[in-house]
Amino acid sequence: MTKTAERRPVRKAAAHPVPAPPPVGGRRRRRLADQARAYAFLLGGLICFALFSWYPAIRAVVIAFQKYTPGSSPEWVGTANFSRVLHDPEFSAAWRNTLAFTVLALLIGFAIPFLLALVLNELRHAKAFFRVVVYLPVMIPPVVSALLWKWFYDPGTGLANETLRFLHLPTSNWSNGTGTALVSLVIVATWANMGGTVLVYLAALQSIPGELYEAAELDGANLLQRVRHVTVPQTRFVILMLMLLQIIATMQVFTEPFVITGGGPENATVTVLYLIYKYAFLYNDFGGACALSVMLLVLLGAFSAGYLRLTRSEGDA
């Protein structure tokens, strides 16, 4: 006789109660608390920016419309400072030299780092050593670098002319000549700042897929054609970004003319930033210096807006 197994009733697992969502007011308070903690961590940086960046910029805009000298109360003069600066003969010379410096820096200081990056990218041995060598000038303080080049350019016993004499070549006045001074400063700025640009270009080159170069080689493209049709299109965003950053930087050149040439000879190397220094600390005219600073701020703000728009559009893409 077969015994049927007794069927035990299946107990259903007790359903865990679903927690009720927190009230809207609680979520809002928690979000505000998180934001308060975040801003508390940022408070130190915000205070530093407010004291050393934002306040001086706002103060400079206000002084641009005032007659202001140390030890006297400021006097509101409207646009008189701008009118006086615009009629200063040094004003046109400073802007002309600054624009010429920017153009020469783009022609010399923009092509050389790109070519160096191409060479470093093709190296098979000692690549790390040459990267360090290229980046070394960036680690030298700008004033020290300018002083070294001032000795190098000395028309009497400087290394540049001594080398030319050894090679039986004609010497040059370098930074002491009206026709060569600005080019000499561009060479100094290019040597001192190209290390970081080379590394950025090198990183961009190494991100290009190797299959593109292999396909170009199979199609019979030579080195120049590969650079033109593969390298440049693949790095166009980096090229445009660095070009805008270089324009913004070269428009603010100051150390090289201040240390090496003092704005000479015959105002051949007076730049806008150096003229601002002269107005403030040589002429004791802070109103004129701030008026000139506001003009430079507007111009650089336009380039900065273009840079931000370029980076934002690339990020959205």
Side-chain angles (χ1 to χ4, degrees):
M1 186 175 180
T2 307
K3 294 182 179 180
T4 57
E6 295 182 359
R7 294 182 179 178
R8 298 180 180 178
V10 179
R11 295 182 179 179
K12 296 181 178 180
H16 296 285
V18 179
V24 177
R27 289 200 301 267
R28 186 179 295 112
R29 283 193 298 270
R30 188 159 53 249
R31 186 166 59 250
L32 290 176
D34 292 340
Q35 292 177 355
R37 282 193 294 269
Y39 282 113
F41 282 109
L42 292 173
L43 185 60
L46 292 175
I47 291 175
C48 289
F49 272 107
L51 290 177
F52 300 106
S53 294
W54 301 332
Y55 173 74
I58 297 173
R59 183 66 175 151
V61 174
V62 174
I63 294 177
F65 298 92
Q66 295 177 338
K67 181 181 180 181
Y68 180 85
T69 55
S72 62
S73 59
E75 177 186 350
W76 187 265
V77 294
T79 59
N81 291 328
F82 292 91
S83 177
R84 186 175 69 259
V85 168
L86 288 172
H87 289 86
D88 186 354
E90 284 187 304
F91 176 82
S92 58
W95 280 103
R96 184 172 59 250
N97 294 335
T98 301
L99 293 176
F101 187 94
T102 302
V103 172
L104 290 173
L106 288 177
L107 295 176
I108 299 174
F110 191 73
I112 292 178
F114 188 72
L115 293 176
L116 282 176
L118 290 175
V119 173
L120 290 177
N121 193 48
E122 296 296 327
L123 290 178
R124 294 293 179 265
H125 304 286
K127 184 179 293 188
F129 170 75
F130 286 107
R131 288 180 188 173
V132 173
V133 170
V134 170
Y135 194 74
L136 272 177
V138 181
M139 295 184 285
I140 301 176
V143 174
V144 175
S145 176
L147 290 173
L148 288 174
W149 278 91
K150 185 177 183 179
W151 166 78
F152 182 82
Y153 281 146
D154 187 278
T157 59
L159 183 59
N161 279 344
E162 288 294 332
T163 304
L164 292 176
R165 292 189 189 98
F166 178 78
L167 297 175
H168 302 287
L169 295 175
T171 58
S172 173
N173 285 328
W174 299 107
S175 59
N176 291 337
T178 55
T180 57
L182 201 63
V183 178
S184 300
L185 297 187
V186 171
I187 295 174
V188 176
T190 301
W191 176 84
N193 300 302
M194 71 178 178
T197 307
V198 170
L199 293 185
V200 174
Y201 277 136
L202 190 59
L205 293 175
Q206 292 179 349
S207 66
I208 300 176
E211 296 81 1
L212 297 178
Y213 289 107
E214 294 175 1
E217 289 180 1
L218 291 176
D219 291 339
N222 55 31
L223 177 60
L224 293 179
Q225 290 173 334
R226 292 197 300 271
V227 171
R228 177 184 177 185
H229 297 289
V230 178
T231 304
V232 174
Q234 291 294 317
T235 58
R236 66 182 183 278
F237 168 71
V238 176
I239 292 174
L240 291 175
M241 181 187 68
L242 290 178
M243 182 181 295
L244 286 174
L245 289 177
Q246 184 168 348
I247 291 174
I248 294 172
T250 52
M251 291 289 290
Q252 303 176 74
V253 59
F254 173 76
T255 304
E256 288 81 6
F258 177 74
V259 176
I260 299 177
T261 62
E266 299 177 5
N267 289 335
T269 58
V270 172
T271 60
V272 175
L273 213 61
Y274 188 76
L275 185 59
I276 293 173
Y277 162 80
K278 291 179 68 175
Y279 265 96
F281 300 104
L282 298 183
Y283 305 155
N284 206 27
D285 183 2
F286 285 87
C290 290
L292 192 54
S293 300
V294 170
M295 296 179 192
L296 183 62
L297 174 66
V298 172
L299 181 61
L300 295 183
F303 284 108
S304 299
Y307 169 75
L308 292 175
R309 183 174 181 181
L310 177 64
T311 54
R312 187 180 298 114
S313 62
E314 183 68 16
D316 296 338

